[in-house]
């Protein structure tokens, strides 16, 4: 096998191998997993959690009806003794913070005035998405692999020449 052939073989093998994407971090159980089953024995905490889930779903539905939504998460905490309650809306929407706050407060009612927190990333409406492949090869690595292949080819060729001289 010549030096060039070994170098090309190593490069082809390296380019064909893709790095595995990192394993996703497992999230703990959320409110829906804990209280979402209507077959559970009704408790005050369970009924409160179901009401909060329903309100969060209503806010999410209202936002989806009004705007282009790429990613959305809504969490609602109803007011209780010593806790004024809160609502958090996070995601990627084609609305501004003021409009999202107004819609959420309208769905949640008067207790939510001033208690809605909105964290948005601008929506990429109409922009072509071009995510980087998780296993994409970088140029320095590619050059190092070409060098390694050439080095291996030279070493193999020298071993073949030594064996030919011994015969």
């Amino acid at each position: 096998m010549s030096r060039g052939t070994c170098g090309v073989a190593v490069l082809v093998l390296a380019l064909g191998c893709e790095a595995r994407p990192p394993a996703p971090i497992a999230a703990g159980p959320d409110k829906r997993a804990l209280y979402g089953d209507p077959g559970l024995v009704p408790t005050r905490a369970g009924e409160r959690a179901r009401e909060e889930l329903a309100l969060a779903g209503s806010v999410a539905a209202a936002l989806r009806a009004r705007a282009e939504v790429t990613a959305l998460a809504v969490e609602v905490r109803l007011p209780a003794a010593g806790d004024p309650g809160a609502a958090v809306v996070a995601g990627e929407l084609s609305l501004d913070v003021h409009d999202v706050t107004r819609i959420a407060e309208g769905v949640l009612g008067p207790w939510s005035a001033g208690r809605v927190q909105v964290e948005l990333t601008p929506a990429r409406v109409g922009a072509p998405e071009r995510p980087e492949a998780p296993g994409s090869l970088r140029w320095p690595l590619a050059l190092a692999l070409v060098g390694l292949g050439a080095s291996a080819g030279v070493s193999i060729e020298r071993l073949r020449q030594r064996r030919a001289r011994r015969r």
Side-chain angles (χ1 to χ4, degrees):
M1 194 181 265
S2 71
R3 286 180 267 164
T5 307
C6 280
V8 170
V10 169
L11 181 62
V12 167
L13 286 173
L15 290 174
C17 297
E18 290 186 21
R20 291 186 179 151
I25 297 172
D30 62 351
K31 195 185 306 187
R32 186 169 307 282
L34 293 174
Y35 296 107
D37 184 12
L40 293 173
V41 176
T43 62
R44 285 187 184 152
E47 292 303 314
R48 179 182 175 86
R50 284 188 195 89
E51 186 177 355
E52 290 173 347
L53 287 170
L55 285 171
S58 296
V59 171
L63 290 171
R64 283 189 176 98
R66 175 77 167 78
E68 177 139 353
V69 176
T70 305
L72 180 64
V74 179
E75 182 69 29
V76 174
R77 191 179 70 242
L78 289 170
D83 181 10
V88 177
V89 179
E92 193 171 313
L93 303 166
S94 61
L95 291 175
D96 64 353
V97 174
H98 174 71
D99 290 337
V100 172
T101 304
R102 186 178 49 79
I103 292 170
E105 287 177 352
V107 171
L108 295 174
W111 70 266
S112 65
R115 293 188 180 97
V116 176
Q117 179 181 347
V118 179
E119 299 291 329
L120 297 179
T121 54
R124 295 179 299 244
V125 179
E129 291 191 27
R130 190 176 159 230
E132 185 176 328
S136 65
L137 193 62
R138 307 269 186 248
W139 281 108
L141 178 61
L143 291 176
L145 290 174
V146 168
L148 180 64
S151 174
V154 168
S155 298
I156 291 171
E157 188 65 30
R158 287 183 181 170
L159 285 174
R160 290 180 65 200
Q161 288 174 357
R162 284 184 190 171
R163 287 185 185 167
R165 281 189 225 152
R166 287 183 188 167
R167 290 184 187 178

